[in-house]
Amino acid sequence: MNDWLSDRNGTLHAESVSLDSLARQYGTPLYVYSRSAIESAYAEFAQAAAGRKVLVCYALKANSNIAVIDLLARAGAGFDIVSGGELHRALAAGADPSKVVFSGVGKNEAEMRLALEHGVRCFNVESEPELLRLSGVAAAMGTRAPVSLRVNPDVDAGTHPYISTGLKQNKFGIAHDRALDVYRQASTLPGLKLVGIDCHIGSQITELAPFLAALDKVAELVTQLTDAGIQLEHLDLGGGLGICYDDETPPARSVMLSALFSRIDTHPALAGLEVLFEFGRSIVGNAGLLLTRVEYLKSSPEKRFAIVDAAMNDLMRPALYEAFHRIVPVLVRQGEAELFDIVGPVCESGDWLGRDRRLTVQEGDLLAVLSAGAYGMAMSSNYNTRPRPAEIMVDDGQVYLIRERENVEALYALEHRIPG
Ligand SMILES: *Cc1c(COP(=O)(O)O)cnc(C)c1O
């Protein structure tokens, strides 16, 4: 799962660079990514799609560093964005707007105008009022917005409730049984051009079955749409493929795509449609880690704690979803391993990175929190006035600083006292 990491002479290396030397040069906490891990994950999707009309988009909310976007743009990826800010980022990184799809339940008018001005590939529309709003904005600009409706296929992705999006009770998408009517309505609106259909059922999905079930539901709708005289150009199957954090066994990227293509070929209604994907986690998740240093070891009658210099503001997933990340020492030590909770300095009991981990560790040691490339830095905050970590991209033996560590003055530079 992390073949860009290896133990060399008792020290963990990222490609050929020692994590110990990175920590000494750039400080901790520090995000470290591997160029080859990102590129090979994308390439696996691209190769599985070779010979078909496919656009693999990268959902840049997973990790929106300009360097990451740029690498994927150069590899030919499209992008899935969920805000005007992400569109600015993608453009700044050199993404081609005609390969950008715009998702999200709450697009505002300014974001719609921005995306229309730049000529994005498609708006994934998630509600009827959004359709009306988008039509109005596009018509006022004298254009038509390319639209795909995000349908909610009501399948259980079998993942954490906070990252499951394809169930009836979720805020996402248009209910499957309303979709045909909404398409009919959309086809009468002056500012829209119907180009696609879209679904995204959740994240960190480790089985094929929910993806296939969603595909069948969407295919059924496409058949009905064709019968109703609505001809689409593409089918967007979203993202959501899981990665191995611990002992999960998600299908390989190529296996997933092959399974979906085989199923697509059984649905005559889907013949000729271009297929889009929106993968985030499965491209960058296992291509990054968070490097942190142990500040203190502390024991209570009940527990032993390793208090580290990274915290929930740097990596929120454990606090938010009780997510598991493997945590490994950078320097292999002899001696008996003991059980530790790995916790940060933030004043919240939810501020933990790992619980009951068996480690041989001392004060000052470095720990690597693995599989932190997706929804790590992207979800970080400045809670407790903690500057965000720096980010490093390792490219074989080369090391690039792709984001500088924030400085604390910048954290309150936009704030103002009131007079009197
Ligand atoms: C978050 C998101 C994705 C990416 O999900 P991953 O699980 O990271 O692959 C794709 N599409 C939409 C609409 C999303 O919101």
Side-chain angles (χ1 to χ4, degrees):
M1 79 193 219
N2 282 302
D3 52 12
W4 55 285
L5 294 172
S6 62
D7 177 41
R8 301 191 186 186
N9 306 320
T11 304
L12 194 62
H13 281 59
E15 302 190 359
S16 58
V17 180
S18 125
L19 290 176
D20 182 51
S21 70
L22 284 181
R24 269 186 278 120
Q25 188 174 354
Y26 296 99
T28 52
L30 182 71
Y31 273 101
V32 181
Y33 310 113
S34 155
R35 174 182 182 165
S36 72
I38 294 171
E39 288 179 337
S40 60
Y42 173 77
E44 200 181 320
F45 284 128
Q47 278 156 20
R52 289 188 169 254
K53 269 201 299 181
V54 169
L55 180 63
V56 177
C57 295
Y58 169 58
L60 66 98
K61 75 175 190 284
N63 183 329
S64 53
N65 187 290
I66 294 268
V68 174
I69 302 172
D70 174 47
L71 284 181
L72 290 165
R74 284 192 261 162
F79 295 93
D80 173 61
I81 59 166
V82 291
S83 70
E86 286 193 347
L87 179 55
H88 279 292
R89 231 175 219 292
L91 294 170
D96 174 355
S98 72
K99 289 183 172 179
V100 170
V101 298
F102 193 171
S103 300
V105 292
K107 303 173 195 80
N108 64 37
E109 289 191 6
E111 291 175 317
M112 290 172 176
R113 271 193 296 273
L114 181 75
L116 285 166
E117 277 159 13
H118 287 282
V120 299
R121 164 78 189 252
C122 181
F123 290 83
N124 291 338
V125 171
E126 303 217 13
S127 67
E128 296 169 65
E130 185 192 340
L131 271 182
L132 293 171
R133 177 94 61 96
L134 180 59
S135 176
V137 170
M141 291 171 69
T143 185
R144 283 173 169 247
V147 162
S148 171
L149 293 194
R150 173 166 177 186
V151 300
N152 185 333
D154 194 28
V155 300
D156 185 355
T159 185
H160 188 284
Y162 282 13
I163 51 178
S164 177
T165 58
L167 286 169
K168 272 190 186 142
Q169 63 264 36
N170 294 129
K171 69 177 177 180
F172 297 102
I174 292 164
H176 186 266
D177 50 13
R178 291 274 310 128
L180 192 57
D181 282 346
V182 180
Y183 266 101
R184 283 212 185 90
Q185 184 202 356
S187 69
T188 67
L189 294 174
L192 304 182
K193 177 174 191 277
L194 291 173
V195 296
I197 189 163
D198 165 45
C199 71
H200 170 73
I201 56 174
S203 198
Q204 185 53 18
I205 301 167
T206 54
E207 306 284 338
L208 274 176
F211 292 110
L212 295 170
L215 169 59
D216 289 343
K217 290 266 203 143
V218 170
E220 182 191 310
L221 272 174
V222 175
T223 310
Q224 294 169 6
L225 288 169
T226 313
D227 292 346
I230 297 173
Q231 185 55 52
L232 302 178
E233 296 164 17
H234 78 247
L235 163 73
D236 181 339
L237 295 173
L241 178 60
I243 62 170
C244 176
Y245 286 97
D246 181 17
D247 53 7
E248 304 90 333
T249 51
R253 300 175 188 92
S254 56
V255 169
M256 163 161 183
L257 258 56
S258 305
L260 287 171
F261 294 144
S262 303
R263 187 68 73 103
I264 285 171
D265 292 343
T266 67
H267 291 291
L270 303 181
L273 294 189
E274 181 170 359
V275 182
L276 272 57
F277 295 99
E278 307 166 347
F279 294 115
R281 189 190 311 272
S282 54
I283 294 179
V284 290
N286 267 328
L289 60 79
L290 176 61
L291 190 58
T292 183
R293 198 177 285 282
V294 177
E295 293 282 0
Y296 300 104
L297 298 181
K298 168 174 174 174
S299 292
S300 75
E302 298 282 304
K303 283 248 173 209
R304 219 176 264 110
F305 296 97
I307 302 172
V308 299
D309 64 3
M312 64 185 285
N313 73 294
D314 305 304
L315 179 64
M316 196 188 187
R317 300 188 66 258
L320 187 61
Y321 322 113
E322 304 199 315
F324 180 95
H325 288 263
R326 275 194 202 172
I327 302 178
V328 299
V330 168
L331 203 79
V332 179
R333 280 193 184 283
Q334 305 306 317
E336 205 181 323
E338 294 173 302
L339 275 189
F340 288 97
D341 277 12
I342 316 295
V343 302
V346 163
C347 304
E348 298 276 349
S349 295
D351 180 27
W352 55 275
L353 298 175
R355 286 177 168 155
D356 294 326
R357 303 305 176 85
R358 195 164 289 284
L359 291 170
T360 307
V361 66
Q362 296 180 6
E363 266 182 25
D365 279 4
L366 290 168
L367 297 175
V369 183
L370 304 187
S371 311
Y375 306 107
M377 185 65 170
M379 291 177 100
S380 64
S381 77
N382 295 117
Y383 189 39
N384 282 209
T385 306
R386 288 169 52 84
R388 272 176 254 249
E391 294 177 284
I392 295 292
M393 179 85 71
V394 171
D395 179 7
D396 197 9
Q398 303 277 45
V399 174
Y400 298 99
L401 178 64
I402 61 168
R403 192 177 203 267
E404 293 166 40
R405 188 175 300 283
E406 284 177 347
N407 69 54
V408 76
E409 292 76 17
L411 302 191
Y412 50 81
L414 301 177
E415 298 168 21
H416 305 283
R417 290 177 228 237
I418 63 166

